[in-house]
Amino acid sequence: MRFTETAIPGVFIVDVEPRVDERGSFNRAFCPAEFAAAGIDFVPTQINIARNTHLHTLRGMHHKVAGLEEAKFVRCVRGAIFDVAVDLRRDSPTFRRWVGVELDAASMRALFIPEGCSHGYLTLAPDSDVLYQMSRPYTPEGDAGLRWDDPAFAIDWPARPAVINRRDATYPDFEG
Ligand SMILES: Cc1cn([C@H]2C[C@H](O)[C@@H](COP(=O)(O)OP(=O)(O)O[C@H]3O[C@@H](C)C(=O)[C@@H](O)[C@H]3O)O2)c(=O)[nH]c1=O
């Protein structure tokens, strides 16, 4: 696996290193030893798959309140998404900044998002499946979110959402 830190400290693009032969390729999807060697402290517990039917479906931006923060490792295993992390760590040099990375099933590129960041994505193809590993088991306690078009962040999405749920569309403006 190859780790490339983005403009936000602790947010990493993770690429596979395919072993190719006449059958296809073999790719390591997650490896605790390689994460540790890259300096990333991440012990996955739960693994989720979100299935998105339509082009330009938006989920997010989601995070947990202070004290319940979680890290996630996100991979698009069918279709393609524009995946976004927003830095909400007040002591970070990139507080309030965002990064966006295209993840698609063909490249197998993935994104690691540490505690203290908000996360969301927009599908770039119909029938896009997103698999993500979480550092904590699911609980709705402490759920929080940011609106995708909050001017405080001005995320440059590649398209407007065609499908978004009411909760995600109506988060108030970020305060702080
Ligand atoms: C996230 C999650 C949801 N659920 C349930 C709650 C609800 O009934 C249904 C759908 O939940 P949501 O609407 O919260 O799903 P979704 O909007 O896809 O939530 C996810 O969005 C992306 C952007 C993230 O970063 C994830 O951490 C998570 O917040 O599934 C679980 O049972 N376990 C889980 O781990």
Side-chain angles (χ1 to χ4, degrees), residues 1-25:
M1 308 173 85
R2 274 188 294 114
F3 296 83
T4 308
E5 197 161 26
T6 66
I8 297 182
V11 177
F12 285 84
I13 294 170
V14 183
D15 287 303
V16 292
E17 294 179 298
R19 304 284 183 262
V20 179
D21 63 24
E22 66 274 22
R23 299 164 299 178
S25 70

Side-chain angles (χ1 to χ4, degrees), residues 89-110:
R89 299 166 298 186
R90 290 177 186 279
D91 57 350
S92 166
T94 53
F95 175 54
R96 285 178 180 237
R97 278 181 58 188
W98 63 274
V99 291
V101 179
E102 186 172 331
L103 307 180
D104 60 69
S107 72
M108 295 191 239
R109 173 164 273 187

